[in-house]
């Protein structure tokens, strides 16, 4: 039970610089982090988030370094799918970067509303529309750039 300060101490929390929290159950993960913050405030905490809600909880606890478990694998799957559809590698990389930047930004923009379902849905719709607009503008830029390159050849 790493949420117990004695267990954290026995695991070396007093001498450690970093605590990595990779616990599958969000409630246990959060309890461990709270215990560490209360008893070993010198620790930098790195954590995994099992989902977006867990990520919001980590933000509430001021955890700066966290990864969402399935985000990178889902993004890689999307990149593979675009490749199978015939998109160019540089276009795939660019679109993935745009999506990742938007997703991180939207996580923090939606954070104040994550406990209010109605507000959360409203902000999600707005952020989804923003992403569609970003991709549409980007697609137009990509097409124009390809037309310019074709004229040069």
């Amino acid at each position: 039970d790493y949420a117990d300060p004695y267990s954290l101490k026995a695991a070396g929390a007093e001498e450690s610089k970093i605590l990595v929290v990779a616990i599958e159950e969000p409630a246990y993960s959060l309890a461990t982090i709270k215990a560490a913050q209360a008893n070993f405030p010198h620790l930098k905490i790195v954590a995994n988030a099992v989902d977006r809600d867990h990520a919001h909880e980590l933000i509430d606890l001021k955890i700066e370094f966290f990864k969402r478990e399935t985000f990178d694998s889902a993004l890689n799957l999307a990149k593979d799918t675009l490749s199978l559809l015939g998109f160019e590698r540089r276009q795939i990389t660019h679109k993935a970067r745009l999506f990742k930047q938007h997703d991180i930004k939207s996580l923090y923009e939606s954070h104040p509303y994550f406990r209010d379902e109605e507000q959360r849905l409203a902000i999600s719709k707005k952020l989804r529309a923003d992403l569609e607009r970003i991709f549409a503008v980007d697609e137009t830029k990509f097409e124009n750039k390809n037309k310019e390159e074709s004229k040069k050849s």
Side-chain angles (χ1 to χ4, degrees):
D1 178 15
Y2 288 106
D4 172 29
Y6 296 106
S7 296
L8 286 167
K9 184 176 179 178
E14 283 183 322
E15 302 82 29
S16 297
K17 293 179 182 176
I18 297 174
L19 174 65
V20 177
V21 180
I23 300 172
E24 194 64 32
E25 175 55 48
Y28 297 140
S29 166
L30 298 170
T32 302
I33 290 167
K34 288 175 186 175
Q37 289 175 324
N39 296 283
F40 306 98
H42 70 280
L43 286 173
K44 290 259 187 228
I45 299 174
V46 177
N48 75 313
V50 299
D51 57 25
R52 200 170 181 92
D53 285 345
H54 191 200
H56 282 295
E57 296 284 355
L58 294 172
I59 292 168
D60 273 353
L61 293 175
K62 309 287 189 258
I63 302 303
E64 296 178 38
F65 307 102
F66 64 86
K67 280 277 197 187
R68 287 180 284 158
E69 281 185 2
T70 59
F71 183 79
D72 288 333
S73 62
L75 191 59
N76 286 333
L77 182 61
K79 289 165 62 175
D80 290 344
T81 302
L82 290 173
S83 180
L84 289 171
L85 290 170
F87 284 80
E88 297 174 21
R89 179 59 50 199
R90 67 186 171 104
Q91 190 178 14
I92 293 168
T93 302
H94 179 70
K95 285 183 180 297
R97 187 175 340 102
L98 280 177
F99 180 83
K100 187 172 186 173
Q101 289 169 347
H102 180 269
D103 188 77
I104 291 168
K105 179 182 171 213
S106 72
L107 178 68
Y108 286 92
E109 273 187 38
S110 66
H111 180 70
Y113 314 104
F114 95 94
R115 288 189 173 90
D116 180 336
E117 193 64 30
E118 189 175 314
Q119 288 284 356
R120 189 177 184 169
L121 287 173
I123 194 84
S124 290
K125 286 180 184 177
K126 177 207 170 292
L127 293 167
R128 191 174 312 118
D130 289 350
L131 181 61
E132 289 173 4
R133 182 186 49 74
I134 288 166
F135 277 144
V137 168
D138 187 65
E139 189 63 30
T140 301
K141 287 180 183 176
F142 184 78
E143 288 171 1
N144 290 341
K145 187 176 180 180
N146 278 347
K147 287 178 186 175
E148 290 298 316
E149 288 175 2
S150 294
K151 287 179 183 177
K152 291 178 183 177
S153 330

